[in-house]
Amino acid sequence: MDSQRQLEKLPAEIIVKIFKYLQFSDLSRVTEVSRTFYNFGTDPLLWKAFNVTHHDDTDKLISTLKLDRFRKLETLHLSYGGHDRHISARHLSSFISKQQIEMIFQTLVNIELKHLTIQHVDLTSLCPELVSKVLNSTEHVCFNHEVKIDDEQVIKILDDISEQGKMKSLQVEDLDFRVVETKTLSRAVNHLETFNTYYSDFHVDQLSAIFEQMAEQTKLKDLSFFNEHGLEELSAEVISTAFNNLERLYIGQSRLSAEQLFSIFEKMSHKSKLTKINFVFKDTYPFRLAAIPSEILAKSLNSLEEVVLPYLHISPSQMKDILEGVAVSSNIKHLDLGANAIPDVSLDVLKQIMFRLEPNEFKFHLQGKILEIYDATILSLKQELLEKETKQVSLRVEQQELQKESKAVRTKIFNVLHQNQKLKSFLLSSNLAKYSRVFKLNKSRVHLSIFRRSKFSSAYRFSAKSRVVKKSKVMMKMKIWSTN
């Protein structure tokens, strides 16, 4: 009790800071200790990260949201019907009634939400002003699958986006924007920071107006456009300028033409705000990137942090320039070029790339290429070693043959020298030139003898002691006899 009273005497900001370290279950118990702890423990700042999970009991959810402690609640997920994507409106009404959904939205007006996700909820019973007020006072709004909303509500929400200005991010699925005025839709989309649309319906003139304004001036940083049709009919100049004014871009299924892609990457190679691109749509023949010079494609992609082009065909020369650019100087951390063939690049280039990239399937593809190079190198070294061993065996045989020939030659020389011992001395003598004339005149009467000087001879001792003249240790004697 004394420790409680001492704790209560601490400054309010210290007590609140201590309570921040408590789990929500412990914090709830603390509020039951005393009125002082209740006042501190129910501070909305302490409960802003609380995860509300009373979806099975809507009345309990409503009573929870009405508590003052959740006035600054940041995140709320309104989801009914589990993970079934195709739940009917009739089944939706069995999970939550029109009165309950209205009470929830009336309560949300007083909550400073930052993230609101709605899934499997029918909003058509609500007045457009209430829906727009709640959504446009929330920073990040996400409509997942099977959200029922009528045309008037859509028009009111989009009309108020640029007026109230608090909504920063909007994600929608299966929404019909064709009922919205073109200027209103264009102004609303370009007023957001993030706009993600999946399988929604647009008129071509609406898309044209959106991207024309995006090319001129926009607050939009992140765009995800996942539709089957619409973009190919737009001007290449407009769409390339608009895309390069963004920071993150995701295009799924809605194909871009070869002319549009050329313009996008050409502008990107010079000046662009883009840091991440995801072009997730299938290629067609002739390949859409084929006309882009490899140096332009490599320069544009290596200026990004994330590149995902899993289904677009990339030529060997384009791939080689891209990979060499990644190895030398690149901002890329995440690279996915699908199953495109890895060309023959140096092992050092591939090693540098492995250090730079985050793990994904394409990185494993590169690792396979490295292993392939290692296998080829090992096979080449084995072949080279085998050739060297074969050559060494051949050289050994030749050496043995040469040794035999050398031995035979030495034997012949020994026999010749043995038969002409006197000739040896004469051949090795330094005075051979003197006797050449004698040889010519007395060929048949000349007898030569070669012998080694004796260590006891005065000539040998003189040559051994002399520092100036070194005389030969071999002597030659020549005898000439008469034939008569």
Side-chain angles (χ1 to χ4, degrees):
M1 199 71 175
D2 292 337
S3 59
Q4 176 189 328
R5 290 174 180 173
Q6 291 177 358
L7 186 60
E8 290 178 350
K9 292 179 181 179
L10 290 173
E13 57 272 14
I14 299 297
I15 296 176
V16 172
K17 191 170 184 179
I18 293 172
F19 284 0
K20 282 183 179 179
Y21 292 98
L22 297 177
Q23 300 290 334
F24 289 115
S25 57
D26 297 328
L27 186 59
S28 181
R29 295 189 188 99
V30 167
T31 59
E32 300 173 0
V33 173
S34 67
R35 181 172 295 277
T36 303
F37 278 9
Y38 177 84
N39 293 333
F40 288 128
T42 56
D43 188 324
L45 292 174
L46 296 175
W47 293 89
K48 64 181 182 179
F50 184 75
N51 184 20
V52 179
T53 57
H54 301 307
H55 300 153
D56 295 335
D57 190 342
T58 306
D59 291 331
K60 190 174 182 179
L61 171 64
I62 295 170
S63 61
T64 300
L65 293 175
K66 286 182 176 181
L67 294 174
D68 185 67
R69 70 184 69 179
F70 296 115
R71 188 164 34 88
K72 294 184 180 294
L73 185 69
E74 292 185 344
T75 304
L76 178 63
H77 300 280
L78 290 177
S79 176
Y80 295 90
H83 300 285
D84 186 0
R85 293 180 60 90
H86 302 290
I87 188 169
S88 65
R90 182 178 179 182
H91 284 111
L92 282 177
S93 62
S94 65
F95 293 111
I96 182 170
S97 66
K98 295 179 181 180
Q99 293 78 15
Q100 288 174 325
I101 191 64
E102 184 173 358
M103 290 181 67
I104 290 175
F105 267 74
Q106 291 287 359
T107 306
L108 292 179
V109 171
N110 301 315
I111 298 177
E112 300 175 13
L113 277 177
K114 289 187 175 181
H115 303 269
L116 175 60
T117 301
I118 304 175
Q119 176 177 308
H120 292 153
V121 178
D122 188 352
L123 302 177
T124 55
S125 62
L126 302 176
C127 68
E129 289 75 14
L130 178 59
V131 176
S132 177
K133 187 174 182 179
V134 171
L135 297 185
N136 278 293
S137 61
T138 306
E139 292 186 6
H140 307 281
V141 177
C142 176
F143 285 177
N144 279 352
H145 38 269
E146 296 300 331
V147 176
K148 304 298 181 182
I149 186 169
D150 61 32
D151 295 345
E152 291 183 6
Q153 291 171 332
V154 173
I155 294 171
K156 182 60 178 175
I157 293 168
L158 294 174
D159 197 39
D160 290 346
I161 285 178
S162 56
E163 298 296 331
Q164 298 187 17
K166 193 170 182 181
M167 187 190 296
K168 296 180 179 179
S169 172
L170 176 61
Q171 177 176 315
V172 295
E173 183 177 338
D174 292 319
L175 206 61
D176 190 354
F177 287 106
R178 293 174 295 184
V179 298
V180 184
E181 185 183 1
T182 299
K183 289 184 179 179
T184 300
L185 179 59
S186 175
R187 185 169 59 248
V189 170
N190 285 282
H191 189 80
L192 298 168
E193 292 183 4
T194 301
F195 181 59
N196 303 328
T197 172
Y198 300 90
Y199 306 107
S200 297
D201 296 320
F202 298 87
H203 286 305
V204 175
D205 59 340
Q206 288 177 320
L207 292 175
S208 181
I210 290 171
F211 288 107
E212 283 176 3
Q213 184 173 342
M214 196 184 300
E216 293 178 4
Q217 186 176 6
T218 185
K219 292 183 179 179
L220 199 65
K221 297 179 181 179
D222 189 338
L223 173 65
S224 294
F225 191 88
F226 205 92
N227 283 44
E228 293 184 3
H229 306 288
L231 295 184
E232 281 186 292
E233 301 177 34
L234 302 180
S235 164
E237 178 66 23
V238 169
I239 203 167
S240 63
T241 305
F243 282 176
N244 281 286
N245 279 340
L246 304 173
E247 293 181 7
R248 295 171 294 277
L249 178 62
Y250 188 107
I251 303 297
Q253 289 196 351
S254 185
R255 297 174 182 175
L256 298 169
S257 67
E259 182 184 359
Q260 289 172 329
L261 287 169
F262 185 95
S263 184
I264 290 167
F265 286 112
E266 197 276 331
K267 286 186 183 297
M268 196 188 303
S269 66
H270 291 93
K271 184 179 180 181
S272 178
K273 295 180 181 179
L274 280 169
T275 59
K276 299 179 180 181
I277 62 167
N278 289 255
F279 289 165
V280 186
F281 51 86
K282 292 183 179 180
D283 208 342
T284 56
Y285 188 83
F287 300 123
R288 299 181 181 231
L289 299 179
I292 304 175
S294 58
E295 60 272 14
I296 291 178
L297 186 61
K299 184 178 179 181
S300 58
L301 294 183
N302 279 294
S303 65
L304 305 173
E305 295 179 4
E306 178 179 315
V307 176
V308 179
L309 309 174
Y311 304 119
L312 292 176
H313 179 268
I314 298 174
S315 69
S317 61
Q318 289 173 331
M319 180 70 80
K320 184 176 182 181
D321 284 354
I322 292 170
L323 295 179
E324 289 178 348
V326 174
V328 176
S329 59
S330 176
N331 297 322
I332 294 182
K333 297 178 181 178
H334 182 88
L335 179 65
D336 183 2
L337 301 180
N340 282 290
I342 307 299
D344 292 331
V345 293
S346 69
L347 190 60
D348 290 336
V349 167
L350 293 174
K351 287 181 178 179
Q352 288 294 328
I353 294 173
M354 298 303 294
F355 284 118
R356 293 176 181 270
L357 297 184
E358 298 173 351
N360 63 353
E361 289 186 9
F362 183 72
K363 187 173 181 179
F364 296 148
H365 191 25
L366 293 175
Q367 287 176 335
K369 182 66 175 180
I370 292 176
L371 294 176
E372 182 183 326
I373 293 175
Y374 277 133
D375 290 341
T377 304
I378 292 172
L379 185 62
S380 176
L381 290 174
K382 285 182 177 179
Q383 186 67 28
E384 185 178 349
L385 182 61
L386 183 61
E387 290 176 357
K388 287 185 177 180
E389 288 178 350
T390 304
K391 189 175 182 180
Q392 189 174 9
V393 170
S394 176
L395 289 174
R396 285 175 182 171
V397 173
E398 291 181 6
Q399 185 181 15
Q400 292 175 356
E401 292 178 355
L402 288 174
Q403 287 176 348
K404 291 179 181 178
E405 292 179 4
S406 176
K407 186 175 181 181
V409 170
R410 285 198 303 270
T411 303
K412 289 181 181 180
I413 293 173
F414 178 78
N415 293 334
V416 170
L417 292 178
H418 183 71
Q419 294 174 2
N420 302 279
Q421 291 183 359
K422 294 183 179 180
L423 181 61
K424 288 191 295 183
S425 176
F426 182 76
L427 290 173
L428 296 174
S429 173
S430 59
N431 296 321
L432 185 61
K434 292 181 179 181
Y435 305 104
S436 59
R437 186 176 178 184
V438 177
F439 287 162
K440 291 178 181 178
L441 297 174
N442 303 285
K443 288 182 181 179
S444 59
R445 295 183 292 135
V446 174
H447 178 74
L448 292 175
S449 62
I450 300 172
F451 64 94
R452 185 179 181 85
R453 285 177 176 163
S454 172
K455 292 183 179 181
F456 302 102
S457 66
S458 58
Y460 180 85
R461 289 196 303 273
F462 176 78
S463 63
K465 294 179 181 180
S466 174
R467 297 181 180 179
V468 180
V469 181
K470 297 294 182 180
K471 294 187 177 181
S472 175
K473 298 179 182 180
V474 179
M475 293 290 291
M476 180 190 70
K477 288 185 179 182
M478 180 177 65
K479 291 183 181 181
I480 302 174
W481 65 89
S482 176
T483 56
N484 298 328

